mmCIF file of all heavy atoms in Angstrom:
data_model
loop_
_atom_site.group_PDB
_atom_site.id
_atom_site.type_symbol
_atom_site.label_atom_id
_atom_site.label_comp_id
_atom_site.label_asym_id
_atom_site.label_seq_id
_atom_site.Cartn_x
_atom_site.Cartn_y
_atom_site.Cartn_z
ATOM 1 N N ILE A 32 -153.203 38.365 -104.618
ATOM 2 C CA ILE A 32 -153.607 37.260 -103.738
ATOM 3 C C ILE A 32 -154.592 37.769 -102.697
ATOM 4 O O ILE A 32 -154.642 38.956 -102.400
ATOM 5 C CB ILE A 32 -152.397 36.593 -103.036
ATOM 6 C CG1 ILE A 32 -151.660 37.599 -102.152
ATOM 7 C CG2 ILE A 32 -151.472 35.947 -104.054
ATOM 8 C CD1 ILE A 32 -150.679 36.958 -101.206
ATOM 9 N N CYS A 33 -155.363 36.845 -102.164
ATOM 10 C CA CYS A 33 -156.317 37.134 -101.100
ATOM 11 C C CYS A 33 -155.875 36.336 -99.873
ATOM 12 O O CYS A 33 -155.762 35.114 -99.932
ATOM 13 C CB CYS A 33 -157.717 36.699 -101.537
ATOM 14 S SG CYS A 33 -158.944 36.843 -100.237
ATOM 15 N N ILE A 34 -155.605 37.026 -98.794
ATOM 16 C CA ILE A 34 -155.250 36.376 -97.532
ATOM 17 C C ILE A 34 -156.507 36.409 -96.675
ATOM 18 O O ILE A 34 -157.065 37.469 -96.414
ATOM 19 C CB ILE A 34 -154.094 37.114 -96.833
ATOM 20 C CG1 ILE A 34 -152.874 37.152 -97.749
ATOM 21 C CG2 ILE A 34 -153.781 36.455 -95.492
ATOM 22 C CD1 ILE A 34 -151.765 38.046 -97.252
ATOM 23 N N ARG A 35 -156.987 35.232 -96.270
ATOM 24 C CA ARG A 35 -158.242 35.169 -95.537
ATOM 25 C C ARG A 35 -158.174 34.105 -94.460
ATOM 26 O O ARG A 35 -157.235 33.313 -94.409
ATOM 27 C CB ARG A 35 -159.400 34.848 -96.485
ATOM 28 C CG ARG A 35 -159.251 33.487 -97.153
ATOM 29 C CD ARG A 35 -160.450 33.174 -98.026
ATOM 30 N NE ARG A 35 -160.314 31.897 -98.691
ATOM 31 C CZ ARG A 35 -160.524 30.710 -98.150
ATOM 32 N NH1 ARG A 35 -160.885 30.601 -96.897
ATOM 33 N NH2 ARG A 35 -160.382 29.608 -98.857
ATOM 34 N N THR A 36 -159.166 34.092 -93.613
ATOM 35 C CA THR A 36 -159.231 33.078 -92.565
ATOM 36 C C THR A 36 -159.570 31.721 -93.176
ATOM 37 O O THR A 36 -160.185 31.632 -94.236
ATOM 38 C CB THR A 36 -160.300 33.446 -91.515
ATOM 39 O OG1 THR A 36 -161.544 33.635 -92.187
ATOM 40 C CG2 THR A 36 -159.942 34.718 -90.774
ATOM 41 N N VAL A 37 -159.161 30.678 -92.510
ATOM 42 C CA VAL A 37 -159.454 29.316 -92.941
ATOM 43 C C VAL A 37 -160.911 29.016 -92.581
ATOM 44 O O VAL A 37 -161.393 29.390 -91.513
ATOM 45 C CB VAL A 37 -158.510 28.315 -92.231
ATOM 46 C CG1 VAL A 37 -158.851 26.890 -92.596
ATOM 47 C CG2 VAL A 37 -157.069 28.627 -92.582
ATOM 48 N N THR A 38 -161.616 28.329 -93.486
ATOM 49 C CA THR A 38 -163.013 27.967 -93.255
ATOM 50 C C THR A 38 -163.172 26.457 -93.296
ATOM 51 O O THR A 38 -162.288 25.747 -93.783
ATOM 52 C CB THR A 38 -163.926 28.598 -94.325
ATOM 53 O OG1 THR A 38 -163.606 28.018 -95.599
ATOM 54 C CG2 THR A 38 -163.765 30.111 -94.385
ATOM 55 N N PRO A 39 -164.294 25.932 -92.818
ATOM 56 C CA PRO A 39 -164.525 24.487 -92.884
ATOM 57 C C PRO A 39 -164.446 23.942 -94.316
ATOM 58 O O PRO A 39 -164.042 22.804 -94.529
ATOM 59 C CB PRO A 39 -165.932 24.313 -92.311
ATOM 60 C CG PRO A 39 -166.083 25.465 -91.365
ATOM 61 C CD PRO A 39 -165.364 26.609 -92.039
ATOM 62 N N GLY A 40 -164.754 24.759 -95.305
ATOM 63 C CA GLY A 40 -164.678 24.320 -96.693
ATOM 64 C C GLY A 40 -163.256 24.096 -97.181
ATOM 65 O O GLY A 40 -163.037 23.512 -98.241
ATOM 66 N N ASP A 41 -162.275 24.542 -96.420
ATOM 67 C CA ASP A 41 -160.869 24.373 -96.782
ATOM 68 C C ASP A 41 -160.279 23.052 -96.293
ATOM 69 O O ASP A 41 -159.132 22.742 -96.582
ATOM 70 C CB ASP A 41 -160.034 25.520 -96.192
ATOM 71 C CG ASP A 41 -160.433 26.865 -96.730
ATOM 72 O OD1 ASP A 41 -160.711 26.971 -97.938
ATOM 73 O OD2 ASP A 41 -160.467 27.827 -95.937
ATOM 74 N N GLU A 42 -161.055 22.279 -95.556
ATOM 75 C CA GLU A 42 -160.518 21.075 -94.911
ATOM 76 C C GLU A 42 -159.839 20.120 -95.888
ATOM 77 O O GLU A 42 -158.732 19.635 -95.629
ATOM 78 C CB GLU A 42 -161.616 20.334 -94.155
ATOM 79 C CG GLU A 42 -161.079 19.106 -93.430
ATOM 80 C CD GLU A 42 -162.134 18.364 -92.625
ATOM 81 O OE1 GLU A 42 -163.299 18.806 -92.593
ATOM 82 O OE2 GLU A 42 -161.772 17.343 -92.028
ATOM 83 N N GLY A 43 -160.462 19.844 -97.010
ATOM 84 C CA GLY A 43 -159.885 18.898 -97.971
ATOM 85 C C GLY A 43 -158.532 19.343 -98.487
ATOM 86 O O GLY A 43 -157.581 18.553 -98.556
ATOM 87 N N ARG A 44 -158.424 20.623 -98.836
ATOM 88 C CA ARG A 44 -157.142 21.138 -99.335
ATOM 89 C C ARG A 44 -156.086 21.149 -98.242
ATOM 90 O O ARG A 44 -154.919 20.855 -98.497
ATOM 91 C CB ARG A 44 -157.311 22.540 -99.898
ATOM 92 C CG ARG A 44 -157.876 22.524 -101.295
ATOM 93 C CD ARG A 44 -157.600 23.796 -102.023
ATOM 94 N NE ARG A 44 -158.361 24.894 -101.436
ATOM 95 C CZ ARG A 44 -158.335 26.116 -101.897
ATOM 96 N NH1 ARG A 44 -157.588 26.419 -102.924
ATOM 97 N NH2 ARG A 44 -159.052 27.064 -101.325
ATOM 98 N N LEU A 45 -156.483 21.464 -97.016
ATOM 99 C CA LEU A 45 -155.518 21.438 -95.914
ATOM 100 C C LEU A 45 -154.996 20.031 -95.672
ATOM 101 O O LEU A 45 -153.795 19.814 -95.512
ATOM 102 C CB LEU A 45 -156.150 21.987 -94.638
ATOM 103 C CG LEU A 45 -156.327 23.489 -94.584
ATOM 104 C CD1 LEU A 45 -157.140 23.882 -93.358
ATOM 105 C CD2 LEU A 45 -154.989 24.188 -94.559
ATOM 106 N N ARG A 46 -155.907 19.071 -95.641
ATOM 107 C CA ARG A 46 -155.492 17.671 -95.434
ATOM 108 C C ARG A 46 -154.560 17.199 -96.550
ATOM 109 O O ARG A 46 -153.548 16.550 -96.293
ATOM 110 C CB ARG A 46 -156.698 16.751 -95.329
ATOM 111 C CG ARG A 46 -157.454 16.926 -94.041
ATOM 112 C CD ARG A 46 -158.558 15.877 -93.876
ATOM 113 N NE ARG A 46 -159.198 16.068 -92.601
ATOM 114 C CZ ARG A 46 -158.684 15.647 -91.436
ATOM 115 N NH1 ARG A 46 -157.548 15.007 -91.414
ATOM 116 N NH2 ARG A 46 -159.321 15.873 -90.316
ATOM 117 N N ALA A 47 -154.899 17.545 -97.799
ATOM 118 C CA ALA A 47 -154.065 17.128 -98.941
ATOM 119 C C ALA A 47 -152.688 17.786 -98.858
ATOM 120 O O ALA A 47 -151.664 17.143 -99.115
ATOM 121 C CB ALA A 47 -154.755 17.488 -100.251
ATOM 122 N N GLY A 48 -152.656 19.058 -98.491
ATOM 123 C CA GLY A 48 -151.375 19.754 -98.385
ATOM 124 C C GLY A 48 -150.499 19.191 -97.292
ATOM 125 O O GLY A 48 -149.295 19.010 -97.480
ATOM 126 N N ILE A 49 -151.091 18.891 -96.152
ATOM 127 C CA ILE A 49 -150.321 18.321 -95.043
ATOM 128 C C ILE A 49 -149.827 16.926 -95.397
ATOM 129 O O ILE A 49 -148.680 16.568 -95.130
ATOM 130 C CB ILE A 49 -151.154 18.313 -93.745
ATOM 131 C CG1 ILE A 49 -151.392 19.751 -93.288
ATOM 132 C CG2 ILE A 49 -150.471 17.497 -92.644
ATOM 133 C CD1 ILE A 49 -152.409 19.904 -92.176
ATOM 134 N N ALA A 50 -150.672 16.131 -96.047
ATOM 135 C CA ALA A 50 -150.267 14.774 -96.448
ATOM 136 C C ALA A 50 -149.126 14.807 -97.466
ATOM 137 O O ALA A 50 -148.295 13.895 -97.509
ATOM 138 C CB ALA A 50 -151.463 14.015 -97.023
ATOM 139 N N ALA A 51 -149.054 15.874 -98.273
ATOM 140 C CA ALA A 51 -148.006 15.975 -99.288
ATOM 141 C C ALA A 51 -146.669 16.433 -98.707
ATOM 142 O O ALA A 51 -145.640 16.327 -99.368
ATOM 143 C CB ALA A 51 -148.444 16.943 -100.388
ATOM 144 N N MET A 52 -146.663 16.920 -97.471
ATOM 145 C CA MET A 52 -145.425 17.375 -96.838
ATOM 146 C C MET A 52 -144.565 16.175 -96.449
ATOM 147 O O MET A 52 -145.076 15.100 -96.159
ATOM 148 C CB MET A 52 -145.739 18.191 -95.579
ATOM 149 C CG MET A 52 -146.482 19.474 -95.833
ATOM 150 S SD MET A 52 -147.075 20.242 -94.308
ATOM 151 C CE MET A 52 -145.612 21.119 -93.806
ATOM 152 N N SER A 53 -143.268 16.387 -96.423
ATOM 153 C CA SER A 53 -142.375 15.329 -95.955
ATOM 154 C C SER A 53 -142.545 15.180 -94.442
ATOM 155 O O SER A 53 -142.988 16.112 -93.764
ATOM 156 C CB SER A 53 -140.923 15.687 -96.265
ATOM 157 O OG SER A 53 -140.478 16.745 -95.425
#
Side-chain angles (χ1 to χ4, degrees):
I32 61 167
C33 174
I34 301 170
R35 62 177 179 79
T36 55
V37 176
T38 66
D41 298 320
E42 182 178 359
R44 280 200 291 182
L45 285 172
R46 288 187 178 281
I49 293 169
M52 296 170 84
S53 71

